[in-house]
Amino acid sequence: MLAEELKKIIKGEVVSDEKTLEKYSHDASLFEIKPKAVVFPKDVEDLEGLVRFAADKKMQGKEVSITARSGGTDMTGGALTESIIVDFTKHFNRIKNVSNYSAVAEPGVFYRDFEKETLKQNLLLPSFPASREICTVGGMVANNSGGEKTLSYGKTENYVLELKVVLSDGREYAIKPLDKKDLEIKIAEKTFEGRLYKKVYDLVRENDVLLKSAKPAVSKNSAGYYLWNVWDGKIFDLTKLLVGSQGTLGIITEIKFRLIQPKKFSRLAVIFLKDMKFLPSAAKAVLKYQPESFESYDDNTLKLAIRFLPSLIKILKPKNLFKLAWEFLPEFWMILSGGIPKLVLLAEFAGDNQKEILERLEELGSDLKSGRFKFRMVKDPEEAKKYWTMRRESFNLLRQHIKGKRTAPFIDDFIVLPEKLPDFLPRLYKILGKYNLIYTIAGHVGDANFHIIPLMDLSDPKSKEIIKKLSFEVYDLVLEFKGSITAEHNDGLIRSHYLKKMYGEKVYKLFEETKKIFDPLNIFNPGKKVGSDQDYAFQHLAKR
Ligand SMILES: Cc1cc2nc3c(=O)[nH]c(=O)nc-3n(C[C@H](O)[C@H](O)[C@H](O)COP(=O)(O)OP(=O)(O)OC[C@H]3O[C@@H](n4cnc5c(N)ncnc54)[C@H](O)[C@@H]3O)c2cc1C
């Protein structure tokens, strides 16, 4: 019925067959929610019409809403809804321009395709996530994604110059930073946009002190609305609020990114830790030499990589299969001999001067030797690719191959200050130890941001209880250490309910006001960020 109505107003495709609805019932989270229709908008006019359609229905008291979806790799349930999914990958997939350290692209462009184009001009968007082969640039903006280079370059929020967004009045707007004079002109406009700017400006100014103190004091954060970043006293920038808002404030139709020139040379050091207790001292030793990236994966990830080696080889696309097999010999040997490390650390050093990188590596090497750490300085780029692929693909391998149990991301993305790790980690292991779970740990050691992914049987009622209890225990611990419950992956269905506790009632109220200013009828991705319902989320745990 809804699909039939939509077909009358949409030039693109509207699909509602069972197979399609089943496909769009999942993202990479542990939830399952079946939409009523999937729309592939042809152009901006389609999107504007769709928003007006949803607003009309809401005015009639009907529960119609719009959830944007691009790659569908969200780990929080952010891309799931019972109502209308809007998929951007079919028609909104053009890279319009790459020049002058910037690129303009539509949200449905896959990062892997985007990077191919930017690298032709020796330019890079350095905030790409580990899901770089399967996610889009739109999802990266909407989730404020980060990845292996974030330690040096920051997250996606640092690279959004301008956005085009369809807002809740059903019109597309160009959003970019404004100075005080232009802001005043905008506010004086007696339009939806003018009123929106005024309300947000008043909100951030009147609550300036509260908001500045609410900003988590860690290097990355994807939780909540980043109201503290909108107005710095000189520049008013609404893109800072839209980035990371998970499609709850409007629909992104175009992004202008700032790009960087990648460093000319890089070399990888791999450090093997026998026990997690050595992590804080190893991390300290490495960080002194300012690696561009500093990542990790654990023994379970390593075993998994060996177990599913054929899938890994497909991704690696080796020129010489024999050479690649040879490169995996040390890993085979570690597993056979029982000498498998608990944690593998990857520290990549980059620069425009090869000699300087080598000197840094040599100094690091002698520090690691005196600290009795086992390590390798990787010379061959193919071998470095092997390590990076194991790090990037660990979660995907688990998602695709484990039978009987499934990946359950719910303590998948917390962050604390690196200097707090020696106190934080023992407390974390104590909590994890109570639950007797199998899990992998990978993550961004440099930022003290960890991805813990348990494997669980969600059809077992005990799993639901464990997820609830364990997530609260870990989030409470993270809060005690003044961290954030999500550094990159965002809030979605899994974490939004905890935002009130994380930020406190007053700040949460400002989040609610923000949502109302942008989306008074609650059209855009309801139940994420604000108005979330933990019971609803847990009623929708995936069955498979
Ligand atoms: C194997 C794997 C590894 C991952 N590694 C990382 C990692 O290292 N770092 C990291 O940050 N994340 C990671 N993720 C999570 C995820 O891949 C990223 O958040 C990614 O950027 C999401 O992109 P997507 O295109 O799949 O977005 P989707 O899943 O389609 O959507 C993500 C969110 O953005 C919203 N959205 C999508 N398009 C629009 C639009 N046009 N307008 C408004 N809102 C929109 C959706 O409603 C949803 O809330 C990983 C996921 C997987 C499966």
Side-chain angles (χ1 to χ4, degrees), residues 456-524:
M456 300 177 90
D457 173 3
L458 294 187
S459 64
D460 182 347
K462 272 193 234 138
S463 298
K464 197 194 268 189
E465 284 317 303
I466 293 178
I467 293 169
K468 268 191 190 168
K469 271 184 82 180
L470 177 54
S471 57
F472 269 104
E473 282 188 71
V474 172
Y475 298 168
D476 284 352
L477 181 71
V478 169
L479 222 58
E480 193 188 318
F481 280 81
K482 299 196 176 2
S484 168
I485 53 173
T486 172
E488 318 178 315
H489 297 171
N490 222 301
D491 300 311
L493 288 172
I494 190 69
R495 276 179 285 267
S496 291
H497 65 85
Y498 196 84
L499 289 176
K500 200 185 272 181
K501 187 160 186 194
M502 176 172 165
Y503 287 107
E505 296 268 352
K506 281 189 190 155
V507 174
Y508 185 76
K509 227 174 162 0
L510 297 181
F511 291 168
E512 286 179 323
E513 272 180 48
T514 304
K515 171 73 174 175
K516 256 196 209 130
I517 293 170
F518 275 84
D519 184 19
L521 293 172
N522 204 14
I523 295 168
F524 298 127

Side-chain angles (χ1 to χ4, degrees), residues 268-276 279 282-283 286 294-303 305 330-331 334-335 339-347 374-376 378 383-384 386-388 390-391 441-446 450:
L268 181 68
V270 186
I271 302 123
F272 306 93
L273 301 186
K274 262 196 266 158
D275 194 302
M276 290 291 278
L279 177 61
V286 173
F294 190 20
E295 302 279 304
S296 67
Y297 55 82
D298 71 345
D299 50 349
N300 284 337
T301 310
L302 187 60
K303 285 183 206 156
E331 277 75 22
M334 282 171 186
I335 288 174
I340 194 159
K342 179 64 202 154
L343 203 69
V344 179
L345 305 181
L346 309 183
K374 209 173 150 201
F375 65 95
R376 275 179 63 71
V378 179
E383 196 189 349
K386 173 191 85 171
Y387 286 110
W388 278 120
M390 283 199 269
R391 162 66 187 96
I441 306 181
H444 313 288
V445 190
F450 294 96

Side-chain angles (χ1 to χ4, degrees), residues 104-285:
V104 177
E106 290 176 329
V109 175
F110 280 90
Y111 177 79
R112 57 177 188 251
D113 302 328
F114 183 78
E115 191 188 86
K116 268 182 212 132
E117 282 309 305
T118 62
L119 282 183
K120 281 182 192 165
Q121 299 195 34
N122 194 27
L123 295 170
L124 182 73
L125 174 62
S127 60
F128 60 82
S131 49
R132 46 176 287 136
E133 298 300 317
I134 49 177
C135 80
T136 66
V137 294
M140 283 171 63
V141 172
N143 269 351
N144 192 14
S145 296
E148 64 206 38
K149 291 195 189 293
T150 291
L151 178 65
S152 303
Y153 295 101
K155 295 208 299 170
T156 305
E157 60 192 345
N158 292 359
Y159 297 92
V160 176
L161 293 173
E162 291 173 28
L163 291 172
K164 283 192 182 159
V165 181
V166 175
L167 295 176
S168 60
D169 65 337
R171 286 178 189 201
E172 186 186 49
Y173 294 96
I175 312 257
K176 58 181 177 186
L178 300 180
D179 62 19
K180 186 92 200 299
K181 200 167 130 252
D182 285 340
L183 175 66
E184 275 162 8
I185 294 170
K186 185 70 81 185
I187 283 175
E189 289 170 12
K190 301 277 174 266
T191 59
F192 174 81
E193 192 192 18
R195 284 190 291 275
L196 184 143
Y197 271 79
K198 168 144 180 40
K199 285 179 193 167
V200 177
Y201 180 54
D202 287 348
L203 186 144
V204 294
R205 242 177 2 137
E206 283 160 17
N207 298 285
D208 180 52
V209 177
L210 175 65
L211 287 172
K212 293 265 151 57
S213 67
K215 183 175 181 168
V218 279
S219 59
K220 324 187 268 189
N221 170 49
S222 270
Y225 291 129
Y226 323 137
L227 285 161
W228 39 83
N229 291 336
V230 174
W231 170 242
D232 67 2
K234 285 192 181 124
I235 299 292
F236 185 85
D237 188 355
L238 271 191
T239 68
K240 300 279 182 215
L241 185 56
L242 287 157
V243 70
S245 64
Q246 284 203 302
T248 59
L249 303 180
I251 297 177
I252 300 163
T253 51
E254 194 179 280
I255 309 143
K256 183 172 183 186
F257 287 107
R258 179 169 75 85
L259 305 174
I260 59 141
Q261 204 161 47
K263 298 268 189 298
K264 276 194 196 135
F265 306 103
S266 66
R267 279 287 290 271
L268 181 68
V270 186
I271 302 123
F272 306 93
L273 301 186
K274 262 196 266 158
D275 194 302
M276 290 291 278
K277 70 177 181 215
F278 299 121
L279 177 61
S281 52
K284 202 171 162 198

Side-chain angles (χ1 to χ4, degrees), residues 11 27 60 98 107 138 143 156 205 217 231 235 254 268 272 338 349 368 399 419-420 425 439 497 538:
K11 295 188 284 283
D27 52 10
Q60 295 162 23
V98 181
N143 269 351
T156 305
R205 242 177 2 137
W231 170 242
I235 299 292
E254 194 179 280
L268 181 68
F272 306 93
F349 294 83
L368 290 173
R399 264 197 338 141
E419 56 269 30
K420 303 247 172 98
L425 287 177
Y439 53 83
H497 65 85
F538 278 93

Side-chain angles (χ1 to χ4, degrees), residues 71-118:
T73 66
D74 191 294
M75 292 170 73
T76 72
L80 301 180
T81 178
E82 281 181 42
S83 195
I84 304 168
I85 293 269
V86 182
D87 186 320
F88 286 88
T89 53
K90 195 160 186 179
H91 302 297
F92 279 78
N93 54 16
R94 282 161 292 199
I95 301 169
K96 294 189 169 171
N97 178 34
V98 181
S99 65
N100 207 13
Y101 286 87
S102 70
V104 177
E106 290 176 329
V109 175
F110 280 90
Y111 177 79
R112 57 177 188 251
D113 302 328
F114 183 78
E115 191 188 86
K116 268 182 212 132
E117 282 309 305
T118 62

Side-chain angles (χ1 to χ4, degrees), residues 40-66:
F40 299 88
K42 192 111 198 153
D43 52 24
V44 171
E45 207 176 60
D46 264 1
L47 285 166
E48 292 177 332
L50 185 62
V51 172
R52 286 198 292 270
F53 170 86
D56 285 347
K57 290 283 173 197
K58 281 273 186 178
M59 304 280 258
Q60 295 162 23
K62 298 198 174 121
E63 268 318 307
V64 172
S65 64
I66 300 168

